[in-house]
Structures are given as structure tokens and as C-alpha cells.
Amino acid sequence: MKPTKYNFHKVVIVGRPNVGKSTLFNRVLQKRKAIVEEFGPTTRDRIGAIVKWSGKTFELIDTPGLDFEKKEDLSKLIEKQIVSGIKEADQLIFMCDAISGILQMDYKICDMLRKADKSIILAVNKVDSRNLMRDMADFYKLGFGEPMSISSLHGLGIGDLLDKVTDNMDPGAGEGSGNREHAEKHAVKLAVIGKPNAGKSSFVNGILEEDRITVSDIPGTTRDSIDTYFEKDRKSFIIIDTAGIRSKGKIKDAVTYFSILRTEETIKKSDVTVILIDAPLGITKEDHRIIDIVQKNFRPFILAINKWDLAEKEGVNKIGYEKVIRENVRFMYNASIVFMSALKKTNLMEVLDLAYKLAEKTSQNFSTSDLNDILKSVEFNPTRLYSVRQTKNSPPELEIIAKNPGDIKTTEKSYLVNIFRKKLHLEGIPVIIKFRKKEFRGG
């Protein structure tokens, strides 16, 4: 069954590179969701966020800069997905740059937008002085009516722009979105991570059945963490595609560095992590590092062995491949392994179903009596264990009252963790156990 997505009124920001589209997007969201850097275009994918303004709700979508003059394969892929975004849009914000004025590229974009036959707001950015205000009349030449002067960097004119957006919405559009907001609040947050070119964006596009994210053979084409809400079989998900995590020696620029930091933040916020492994390459040092990051953040994860069709052609045996993984990856705690192909769309929904089950498991609450029944059945010599209770979930965290917690070694703690994981049927779920010394009252 194809996943379904809520269709909010879509407002898409378009323009040539470096006119400030991502700065506007971040200003509206009041946070740095898109990566912004002064030296040029850094957004490579469509990034969406839900915005509430004047009692209405809409989806604001940032796009990469349009540059028809570049002929590289990646530029063509980016142009293709911008065109897709324009087709989906209910409204367009066409951004220009007051400092550089109207360039030939702006006229080419105008021609594309007119063919789209959409409601268009012309926003002229970087209007930070009265001198630039005087030049606003030039932008009437573009044929989209009165230009709106804004400064995304300093927040000038943003409220007027958002008023214009909501005024253009049909009566009733964007209202009554409570069901979606409730569903999104309880959705499973699924982070999709892996080293560059492991197939993360192909995986996300395959599940969503659309080319929302740039996909090419060039490693590192996804730089932003991209959130997409959707539903499948009445189950809600927020799926996040992230920049590929590289080893420190391969980080060459600030944008890549901040993309990786954003990815690590995403792992912390996720309920479940899908780690994409490039099957023909096997598990590399970078893969081990990624798994370590996920495990240090105590997130349940699925190892999705992508491009398995290519590995099979080379005669790789599935049973042997899995055995090697389980013997060489530390602390797998029976994590799920799925063999799949993002390109051929095989077993993608199996990954999704497993992720939902893991999210349900990790959020469980266990009764104190059941936990203490398990504790009583444990033979444990290092020190006396008095009682246990659950203090948190996602992941489950237990507190055990012990006579002398300092006497318990790391291996003995692992022994207890494994017992509780098995007895509570938490295969694939990290379990945290903390110890507290029993307080004896003097009398």
C-alpha cells in the first residue's frame, strides 16, 4: 500500500542561487533548519516545514538555486526536482536580490514560472537601505506586479510577506489541521543515515514514491536533514534523510561539517534509526563509526543492507553475510537486519514495518511488580539487589536499588541488561540500567 501524505497548502520558494532563499526559510522557522553559508548555494534538496500564520497553516518549501547555465549531471537533477516542486506548489515566492539587481537568470526563471500558471509573490531580498528601496521599481519589469521588499537576514518585511501568503490562500485552506498536528506529534521519527552514497535518498524517495531528494552517483549530494511526514496503514511516520557521515579526515568544508553535526542531532531526536549499508562494499570503518554513534545515543536501529541485488550477482551468500556482521559488529543486541534494494524498491516496506514495531517496543512502560519478579529470579553474587523500577522509556531505563553498586563490574551490568531485555522481549532495543545505593536509616 502506497504511503499517504497530508496535503497542506504548499508555498514554494524559488530563485537563482544565493538570493537568500534558505535565509528566508530559516527566518520564518526561527531556527537554522537549512544550512546557510555566505559563499554560495548550499541547499541541494527540497526542505519543507509546517508554518502557522494568522490562523492558517501551510507548508513552506525551500528549494536549491536554479542555474540553467550549469550543465553538470547534479545540476540537472537539482533542476528536475525544483520543477517537480513548482508543479506541486499552490503558491510560489519568487525571490530576487536587490543588491545585484535583475540578472539574465531571473528572466529565464520568470519564463518557467509563467508556464507553471501559479499564484506568484515577487519578494526582493536584501533591501537593507533606503537607496535599495528606490531601486524597487526596476523589479516591475519582471511582470509579477508589485514587488515586496524584504530583508531575510534582518527580519524586515517578513510579516507582510506571510500576510500576503495567507491572503492568497483559499477560504478554509490551512484551517482545522489539528488531526494532522496530533498525528505528527505521535509519529515515529525515523532517521535514515549512512556513509555518503549508501542509498539513503533513494531509500526515502522509494518509500515516498517521489523524487523529493536529489539522487546521483556523486557522494554527498544530500547536505540538509530533510523531514517528511507521511502515513502508511494508519501508522504515522516522520522520515528524515540526512547527510552522509564521513570520517573526520574526509571533512573538507564547513557545510559538510555542520551537515554531520545536524545528522548526529537527528539521531538523538529519532525514535528509530535506519543505517544503510552498501552491500557490495560490506561493512567499512565508516559504517562501524556510524553504528557506534547510534549505540552511544541508545537508539534502536535497523541495518538495511542496500544494493543487495548487486551483491547477489557477485555470488554473496545472505546467511554468511549476516553471520559476519553479527560476529564483527559490537553490541548488536539482536538488531534487525534487512536485505533490500532501494533502486528496485524491494523490502522497503519491511524496513518501515520493523521500524514501527521497534518504536512501539522502546516506548513501553512496564509494571514495577513485573520488573521485580524478573529481578527476584536473577542469581547475582556481586552485591545484593533489593528492587527495580522503570524511570524512563524510549529507550527503557531501569533503576535498581543495590547494597553496594560500586562492586558491580561492567560485564555484570551487561549480564543484567541482557536478562531484562530477554525477559521483557526487547530484542533490538537498547536497555539502560542505573544503580542506586540503598539508604539505611539509623535507629
Side-chain angles (χ1 to χ4, degrees), residues 264-312:
E264 293 186 8
E265 288 174 12
T266 297
I267 292 168
K268 292 176 184 177
K269 294 175 183 176
S270 68
D271 298 310
V272 180
T273 300
V274 176
I275 304 174
L276 267 290
I277 304 293
D278 191 325
L281 295 180
I283 292 200
T284 64
K285 288 182 180 178
E286 286 178 74
D287 293 319
H288 279 286
R289 180 170 173 265
I290 291 165
I291 293 168
D292 284 344
I293 292 171
V294 175
Q295 290 177 334
K296 284 174 184 175
N297 285 285
F298 295 101
R299 290 293 174 267
F301 64 91
I302 299 166
L303 282 186
I305 313 301
N306 191 27
K307 308 179 188 178
W308 183 246
D309 52 318
L310 301 179
E312 280 187 317

Side-chain angles (χ1 to χ4, degrees), residues 3 12 16 22 30 75 79 85 111 118 130 146-147 152 158 167 179 201 230 245 256 266 278 308 375 413:
V12 177
R16 58 181 164 83
S22 294
Q30 296 296 311
S75 294
E79 182 183 329
D111 292 339
K118 305 282 184 178
R130 290 184 179 179
E146 183 180 358
S152 299
I158 305 302
D167 288 345
N179 290 339
S201 295
F230 69 98
I245 297 182
T256 302
T266 297
D278 191 325
W308 183 246
L375 188 67
K413 289 179 183 177

Side-chain angles (χ1 to χ4, degrees), residues 1-3 188 190 203 207 230-237 239 272-274 300-302 304 336-338 340 346-362 427 429:
M1 181 179 177
K2 181 178 177 178
V188 174
L190 187 64
F203 172 79
I207 285 179
F230 69 98
E231 291 184 353
K232 177 187 174 286
D233 299 336
R234 297 184 179 180
K235 298 170 184 174
S236 305
F237 296 88
I239 194 165
V272 180
T273 300
V274 176
F301 64 91
I302 299 166
S336 301
I337 297 175
V338 178
M340 50 155 281
T346 55
N347 292 338
L348 300 188
M349 293 308 157
E350 184 181 339
V351 175
L352 213 57
D353 291 338
L354 267 172
Y356 196 85
K357 289 175 184 175
L358 288 174
E360 283 188 322
K361 280 185 178 183
T362 194
E427 293 81 7
I429 304 295

Side-chain angles (χ1 to χ4, degrees), residues 323-337:
K323 184 180 178 182
V324 170
I325 291 174
R326 294 203 182 276
E327 288 176 353
N328 288 279
V329 178
R330 295 181 301 160
F331 312 123
M332 280 285 286
Y333 38 78
N334 298 319
S336 301
I337 297 175

Side-chain angles (χ1 to χ4, degrees), residues 240-258:
I240 310 166
D241 179 38
T242 58
I245 297 182
R246 301 170 182 264
S247 61
K248 290 181 180 178
K250 294 183 180 180
I251 299 172
K252 297 179 180 178
D253 58 75
V255 174
T256 302
Y257 173 75
F258 284 111

Side-chain angles (χ1 to χ4, degrees), residues 10-63:
K10 289 183 172 61
V11 180
V12 177
I13 308 169
V14 295
R16 58 181 164 83
N18 211 28
V19 294
K21 297 182 299 299
S22 294
T23 307
L24 171 62
F25 183 82
N26 290 330
R27 170 64 66 175
V28 173
L29 267 63
Q30 296 296 311
K31 62 179 178 180
R32 276 201 164 198
K33 182 162 184 172
I35 296 167
V36 180
E37 197 164 38
E38 291 180 358
F39 54 72
T42 54
T43 300
R44 292 179 176 176
D45 306 288
R46 279 183 282 153
I47 309 170
I50 305 304
V51 177
K52 293 181 182 179
W53 187 262
S54 297
K56 292 189 177 180
T57 306
F58 60 90
E59 183 177 5
L60 184 66
I61 299 170
D62 183 22
T63 62

